[in-house]
Amino acid sequence: MESKTTSYLANLLQSCIHKKAHLAGKLLHAFILRNGLASDTFLANRLIELYSKCSKIDSAYRVFDKIAQKDVYSWNALLGAQCKLGNIQDAYALFVKMPDRNTVSWNTLISALVRSGLEHKALDAYDSMILEGFVPTHFTLASVFSAYSALLDSERGRVCHGLVIKIGLENNMFVSNALLCMYAKCGLIRDASQVFGDMHEPNEVTFTAMMGGLVQTDRAVEALEMFRLMCRKGIRIDSVSLSSTLGACARGVCGEFDQDDPTDVLSSNVHGRQVHGLMIKLGFERDLHSNNSLLDMYAKNGDMDSAEKIFTNLPEVSVVSWNVMIAGYGQKFQIQKAVEYLQRMQCCGFQPDEVTYINTLAACIKSGDIETGRLMFNSMSCPNVSSWTAILSGYAQSGYHNEAIELFREMQFRSVQSDRTTLAIILSSCATMGLLESGKQVHAVSQKASLHTDVYVTSGLICMYSKCGKTEMAKHIFFNTPELDIVCWNSMIVGFSLNSLDMEAFTFFKQMRQKGIFPTQFSYATVLSCCAKLSSSFHGRQVHAQITKGGYVSDVFVGSALIDMYCKCGDVDGARWFFDMMPCKNTVTWNEMIHGYAQNGRGYEAVCLYKDMVSSGEKPDGITFTAVLTACSHSGLVDLGIEIFNSMQLEHGVEQVLDHYTCIIDSLGRAGRFHEAEVLIDKVPYKDDPVLWEVLLSSCRVHANVSLAKRAAEELLRLDPQNSAPYVLLANIYSSSGRWDDVRAVRELMSDKQIIKKPGYSWIDCKNDMQTPMVDDDVRMVSVEVQEVGDGTFC
C-alpha cells in the first residue's frame, strides 16, 4: 500500500515539476511530512527537483539535508538545481563533495560550464571523466564539441571525432550536429561537408549549422543553395533557419558579392526579398528574432527605405532592432538619421547599450563627423577597447593625430588594455607626426601588453621608427620578430626607401624573395621606386622580370611604377612600349608617362600624349598639368604651354596652383620673355613663395638679366635669408658679366651671415654598383678621382 502511495505522490510531484506549480508542490510536501514519508529518498529527490525547477534553492537544500540515505540521484538533483540557476562555483564545490558520481553527474557539470562560457574548465572536467573510466554519452559529446567550437580548437575536436567513431555514436543526430557545428565554426567547411554528407537524415539544425559555416567563410552563394536544398527536401524551416538565410543575403553584399557592382547588390536584395516572402508565408512575421535578421539584411543591402517600413510595422522591438537601424544609417553615411534613431530609442524608454554607442560612433566616423563621434564616446559610462579603437581611428583618419595621441594617453590612465589595432593606429599617428618619443612610449605599452612581437604591431613599429629616421631600431625590431609576414617586409623596405637607403631596400627585397615570401603589388612598387631613385636600369629590369613571372605585369599600380622607373633611368622608349602594352590605365599611369617625356626633354611627345589622354576620356588632374607644363617649359613650347595653362580651369575644372604658375614662369624665363614673366608673377596669389623667385633668378642667369636678377634675389633673401641659392646664383650672374666687385660683395655678405653652400652629390653606375661622389665647388676634384680609377672602370 505504501509503495502505491509513494508512486502516486511521485507522479503528482512530477506533474508539479512539469508545470512549475510551486504552491501545489508545497502542499504535497506538507502531506509527505504529515504522513511520515520524509525519509523516502525517492520522494525527497523529486522534491529537490521541484524546488530546483521553481528556483527555490534554499528549500531544495533543506530537503537534501534531511535525507538520511542520500544516493547519487539526490546529489545529482541538487547539482542540477545549482547548475540551472547558474551558480557554477557552488555547483563545482558540490560536485567535488559527491561521494559517488555517474555519467549524469559529469554531463550536468560539463554542460553547465560550457553554458557559462567556461570552456577550458569544461574540457578539464571531460578529461577527468575519461580518466576515471566513464564512457561519454551523446549529451557529453555535444557539450564537448560546443566547447571546442567556442575555443576554435579543431585539433582536439578531431581527436574527439575519432572517439565518437570508436564508441559508435557517429550516426547519433545530436552528436553529428554538434560535430558539424564545431567544424563549421572553425572554418573547416570541407570537414563539415563530409559530416553533412554522412548523415542519413539531416534536420533543420544540421542545415542551419551548415549555412552558418558557409556564411562565416564568405560563401554566401553556397549558403543560399543549401537553404534551397533544405526547402526541396521538405525539412522544417524555423526562425533560426530563416535568420541564417537572411544573414547569408546580408553577408553577400559584404563578402562574396561586389558592393560596387549594382548587379550583385540587386541580386543579393532579390534573394533577401524572396526569403522575406517565405517568412510571411510560414507565419514568422511576428517573430522578433526573424524580424531583426530581416532588418539587418535590408540595412546591409543599403535598402533603408525597406528597413524603415519593416521597423515601423514591427509588433515588437528590442535594443537589437534599434541598433540595426543606427548601424544601417551609419553605413549609408547618414549621421543625422543615426543620431535621430538614438534619440527616438531613448524617448521610447530603451536604454542604449555598448553596441548602440559603438554603432553611432562608427556612423559618425564614417561620415567624418568626429565632433559628434566624440560626444557619443563621452556618453559611454565605461567604453571598452572597441570603442576606444573606433574613436582613435576616427581622429587618425581625419588627420587629428595629436588629439589621437592625447586620447590614447587618457586610455592608458584609465587602465584600458590596448589591443593590436589600437596600438597600430597610434603608431601610425606617431609616424605621421614624426613623434619619436611618443612612439617609444607606445612601444613600451606594446611590450607591457606582450604585443610587441605581433606582426600587426611590429609593422607599425618599423614604420614609426623608419619615419623618425631610426632605421637601425627598425631593423632591430624586424630581426627580433619571431614570425614575419609580407607587411613587415614591406614596412622595412619602405623604411629604407624613406631614408634614401635604396640599395639596402633592394637587398632586403632580394632576401625576402630568397626566404620564399611572395611580394605584393606594394612590394614591387616600392622597390621599383628605389631603382628609379638609383637610376639603375639594371636592377629595375631584374625586378621587371620578377613582376612578369609573378603575374603582376597587368596590375595598374605596378605598371605605373615600372613606367616611372624606366623614365627616370632614361629609357623613355622602353617606358612607352610598356605603357602601350598595358591593358588598363588610370590617371597615375598617364601622368607617369607624360612626366617621363618631360624629364627626358621630349616635350612635343608629352603634349601629344596629354591630348591622347583627354581624347581617351581619362580626366587630367593637377599632377597631369604639372607634368605637361614642365614638358613645355623644358622643350621651349612656350605658347603651347600657355594655351594648356589657360584651359585648365575653363575646360577641365582644375584650379591652378603654385606648381602650375612656376612652370609657366620658368617657361617664359627660359625663352627670355621676362616682361610677361614679371606681369604674371605680380598676379600670382603665391608671390611670397621662394620657388617662384628661384625659377626666375635661374632664368636671369641664363640670359644675363642683371636688373631682374637683383630683384628676384632681394625677394628670396627677404623670404628665406638663410638659403644659399640666391647668393650663389646672383654671384654667378655678376661674374658672367664681369662685375667682380659685386661678386666679392655677395661672397662677403654670405660670410658675414655665415651662409654655407651645401655640396651636391652625383651618382655613377659602376659595374652595376652605385658610387656617390660628393660634388664640391671645385669640380676638378671629382674628375681627378675618376681619372685615378683608370680607363674602363666606369660603365
Side-chain angles (χ1 to χ4, degrees):
M1 183 70 182
E2 187 176 325
S3 177
K4 286 184 179 181
T5 304
T6 301
S7 179
Y8 179 67
L9 288 171
N11 289 335
L12 289 175
L13 284 170
Q14 187 60 48
S15 178
C16 293
I17 292 167
H18 180 69
K19 297 176 182 178
K20 295 185 182 180
H22 177 235
L23 185 59
K26 284 181 72 174
L27 290 173
L28 287 171
H29 190 182
F31 180 83
I32 289 168
L33 290 170
R34 191 164 49 247
N35 287 276
L37 298 173
S39 59
D40 189 294
T41 304
F42 182 63
L43 290 176
N45 291 346
R46 286 296 170 90
L47 283 168
I48 293 171
E49 286 184 50
L50 167 70
Y51 288 125
S52 166
K53 193 80 170 179
C54 298
S55 303
K56 304 294 180 181
I57 191 66
D58 292 336
S59 300
Y61 261 103
R62 281 194 291 270
V63 173
F64 178 80
D65 290 338
K66 290 180 181 179
I67 299 175
Q69 295 180 337
K70 300 177 180 70
D71 59 14
V72 70
Y73 298 103
S74 310
W75 288 92
N76 282 345
L78 193 60
L79 179 66
Q82 292 283 22
C83 290
K84 284 175 185 175
L85 292 172
N87 302 329
I88 300 301
Q89 290 185 342
D90 294 335
Y92 198 83
L94 185 69
F95 180 83
V96 172
K97 290 178 184 178
M98 289 178 69
D100 294 305
R101 305 184 188 105
N102 60 10
T103 307
V104 174
S105 316
W106 288 102
N107 287 350
T108 303
L109 179 69
I110 291 168
S111 63
L113 289 169
V114 173
R115 287 197 305 273
S116 300
L118 301 169
E119 289 85 7
H120 287 292
K121 280 194 171 184
L123 294 174
D124 288 342
Y126 169 70
D127 291 339
S128 299
M129 175 184 178
I130 299 298
L131 285 172
E132 290 190 18
F134 289 95
V135 177
T137 66
H138 59 287
F139 290 113
T140 321
L141 293 167
S143 298
V144 168
F145 281 128
S146 294
Y148 290 137
S149 296
L151 297 172
L152 301 178
D153 190 348
S154 58
E155 188 175 341
R156 292 176 67 187
R158 288 185 191 281
V159 174
C160 194
H161 188 179
L163 179 62
V164 167
I165 296 169
K166 184 178 179 180
I167 61 178
L169 286 174
E170 67 272 21
N171 292 324
N172 182 278
M173 183 64 67
F174 206 45
V175 175
S176 294
N177 282 340
L179 179 61
L180 190 150
C181 274
M182 186 271 294
Y183 281 131
K185 285 188 178 177
C186 291
L188 301 171
I189 298 302
R190 183 177 294 179
D191 297 279
S193 299
Q194 183 65 48
V195 175
F196 181 85
D198 291 340
M199 295 176 72
H200 300 301
E201 293 183 4
N203 59 13
E204 66 273 15
V205 177
T206 317
F207 277 93
T208 303
M210 197 67 214
M211 284 190 290
L214 290 167
V215 170
Q216 182 184 314
T217 52
D218 292 330
R219 296 162 73 168
V221 173
E222 291 176 59
L224 292 173
E225 287 298 326
M226 185 64 64
F227 182 69
R228 289 192 184 97
L229 177 63
M230 182 179 181
C231 294
R232 285 197 298 270
K233 284 184 171 290
I235 305 294
R236 186 179 73 89
I237 297 170
D238 57 11
S239 61
V240 180
S241 308
L242 286 169
S243 295
S244 293
T245 311
L246 289 167
C249 297
R251 189 65 174 262
V253 173
C254 302
E256 242 173 296
F257 301 137
D258 185 356
Q259 291 192 59
D260 297 326
D261 189 341
T263 308
D264 274 350
V265 175
L266 181 63
S267 172
S268 184
N269 211 13
V270 167
H271 291 312
R273 289 185 182 280
Q274 289 174 340
V275 179
H276 185 184
L278 181 62
M279 177 178 151
I280 295 169
K281 182 180 178 181
L282 296 173
F284 288 106
E285 67 270 23
R286 300 187 68 83
D287 181 78
L288 180 60
H289 182 63
S290 300
N291 278 317
N292 283 340
S293 298
L294 189 63
L295 271 180
D296 186 56
M297 183 275 296
Y298 280 123
K300 283 182 178 168
N301 280 344
D303 187 358
M304 291 309 296
D305 291 334
S306 296
E308 282 270 13
K309 290 175 185 175
I310 299 295
F311 185 84
T312 304
N313 293 306
L314 281 177
E316 179 187 3
V317 294
S318 66
V319 173
V320 175
S321 315
W322 291 100
N323 288 347
V324 169
M325 293 301 291
I326 291 168
Y329 279 116
Q331 184 181 302
K332 296 269 288 184
F333 304 102
Q334 296 182 22
I335 179 60
Q336 292 181 341
K337 290 288 288 184
V339 173
E340 178 193 321
Y341 262 82
L342 174 63
Q343 293 168 344
R344 282 176 57 190
M345 174 185 183
Q346 292 170 316
C347 290
C348 291
F350 287 89
Q351 187 65 36
D353 61 8
E354 197 74 19
V355 176
T356 315
Y357 287 118
I358 289 175
N359 285 350
T360 314
L361 178 59
C364 295
I365 289 166
K366 284 180 181 178
S367 303
D369 189 352
I370 194 67
E371 291 183 11
T372 308
R374 185 58 187 268
L375 290 174
M376 291 300 108
F377 180 79
N378 292 339
S379 301
M380 301 181 189
S381 57
C382 187
N384 61 16
V385 67
S386 299
S387 308
W388 283 97
T389 302
I391 189 67
L392 288 171
S393 175
Y395 275 121
Q397 288 173 17
S398 302
Y400 300 127
H401 298 290
N402 282 324
E403 289 82 351
I405 292 166
E406 285 301 317
L407 193 62
F408 179 73
R409 287 197 179 101
E410 185 182 336
M411 179 182 176
Q412 301 309 302
F413 291 141
R414 293 199 193 181
S415 300
V416 179
Q417 185 72 37
S418 303
D419 63 8
R420 63 203 294 255
T421 309
T422 318
L423 294 171
I425 290 167
I426 294 304
L427 285 169
S428 175
S429 291
C430 293
T432 304
M433 299 295 290
L435 300 174
L436 178 61
E437 290 305 315
S438 296
K440 285 180 177 179
Q441 291 171 5
V442 178
H443 190 178
V445 171
S446 71
Q447 288 178 316
K448 189 177 179 181
S450 299
L451 288 169
H452 59 290
T453 56
D454 178 273
V455 289
Y456 202 48
V457 177
T458 296
S459 60
L461 285 168
I462 291 169
C463 182
M464 184 274 296
Y465 280 117
S466 296
K467 286 192 176 179
C468 293
K470 300 294 181 182
T471 51
E472 287 302 317
M473 188 61 189
K475 282 168 68 175
H476 174 76
I477 291 167
F478 180 86
F479 286 120
N480 282 279
T481 303
E483 291 185 21
L484 294 164
D485 65 356
I486 184 61
V487 179
C488 295
W489 282 96
N490 284 348
S491 298
M492 200 65 239
I493 294 167
V494 170
F496 283 128
S497 179
L498 285 171
N499 289 279
S500 300
L501 300 169
D502 299 297
M503 276 308 300
E504 286 86 340
F506 190 82
T507 302
F508 251 67
F509 176 78
K510 289 199 294 185
Q511 288 176 4
M512 181 179 81
R513 294 278 295 146
Q514 288 164 4
K515 290 184 179 293
I517 306 292
F518 290 100
T520 62
Q521 296 96 318
F522 189 72
S523 315
Y524 284 124
T526 306
V527 78
L528 283 169
S529 173
C530 294
C531 295
K533 286 191 286 181
L534 290 167
S535 297
S536 175
S537 60
F538 173 78
H539 293 110
R541 290 181 190 281
Q542 284 184 329
V543 178
H544 189 175
Q546 292 174 20
I547 288 167
T548 305
K549 186 177 179 181
Y552 286 107
V553 75
S554 298
D555 183 87
V556 68
F557 189 54
V558 176
S560 300
L562 267 170
I563 291 168
D564 178 56
M565 183 275 295
Y566 278 121
C567 288
K568 284 181 178 171
C569 291
D571 187 4
V572 71
D573 292 323
R576 181 56 191 264
W577 178 85
F578 183 77
F579 176 86
D580 291 335
M581 295 294 290
M582 288 182 71
C584 60
K585 307 173 183 70
N586 61 11
T587 305
V588 176
T589 318
W590 287 93
N591 289 351
E592 291 291 0
M593 194 63 242
I594 294 168
H595 187 63
Y597 277 130
Q599 283 178 316
N600 289 273
R602 294 165 66 167
Y604 182 75
E605 286 143 301
V607 173
C608 289
L609 190 62
Y610 159 74
K611 291 179 178 178
D612 289 343
M613 177 184 181
V614 174
S615 300
S616 72
E618 192 74 47
K619 187 173 174 60
D621 59 10
I623 298 171
T624 314
F625 286 107
T626 301
V628 73
L629 291 174
T630 301
C632 292
S633 172
H634 290 181
S635 300
L637 303 173
V638 186
D639 293 326
L640 193 53
I642 292 171
E643 182 186 328
I644 293 171
F645 178 81
N646 292 332
S647 73
M648 285 176 62
Q649 205 157 21
L650 292 172
E651 296 179 22
H652 305 286
V654 178
E655 187 180 352
Q656 294 135 338
V657 294
L658 175 64
D659 287 344
H660 306 128
Y661 283 104
T662 302
C663 290
I664 292 299
I665 289 168
D666 182 47
S667 183
L668 291 168
R670 284 171 184 260
R673 293 160 65 169
F674 291 110
H675 176 70
E676 293 171 74
E678 279 193 273
V679 170
L680 181 60
I681 207 168
D682 288 334
K683 294 179 180 178
V684 171
Y686 308 99
K687 61 174 63 69
D688 283 340
D689 193 288
V691 176
L692 286 172
W693 297 105
E694 280 186 13
V695 167
L696 190 60
L697 185 57
S698 296
S699 298
C700 290
R701 179 193 176 190
V702 174
H703 293 277
N705 189 331
V706 179
S707 60
L708 185 56
K710 190 175 180 181
R711 181 196 168 189
E714 287 172 352
E715 291 289 344
L716 275 170
L717 293 175
R718 177 181 65 84
L719 295 169
D720 189 3
Q722 295 303 309
N723 186 1
S724 64
Y727 294 97
V728 174
L729 287 170
L730 189 59
N732 287 338
I733 292 171
Y734 284 142
S735 64
S736 63
S737 302
R739 298 170 60 170
W740 303 110
D741 291 338
D742 291 326
V743 173
R744 192 177 301 109
V746 172
R747 290 190 179 275
E748 286 174 358
L749 187 61
M750 284 182 72
S751 179
D752 292 341
K753 293 188 176 183
Q754 297 182 337
I755 296 170
I756 301 170
K757 178 182 178 293
K758 293 180 181 178
Y761 291 87
S762 179
W763 284 331
I764 303 172
D765 195 348
C766 174
K767 291 185 177 178
N768 303 319
D769 187 23
M770 301 309 300
Q771 305 283 333
T772 58
M774 186 181 292
V775 180
D776 203 306
D777 283 337
D778 188 358
V779 181
R780 288 175 299 174
M781 180 184 72
V782 178
S783 64
V784 169
E785 289 178 359
V786 173
Q787 287 173 7
E788 288 176 355
V789 175
D791 294 336
T793 302
F794 291 89
C795 50

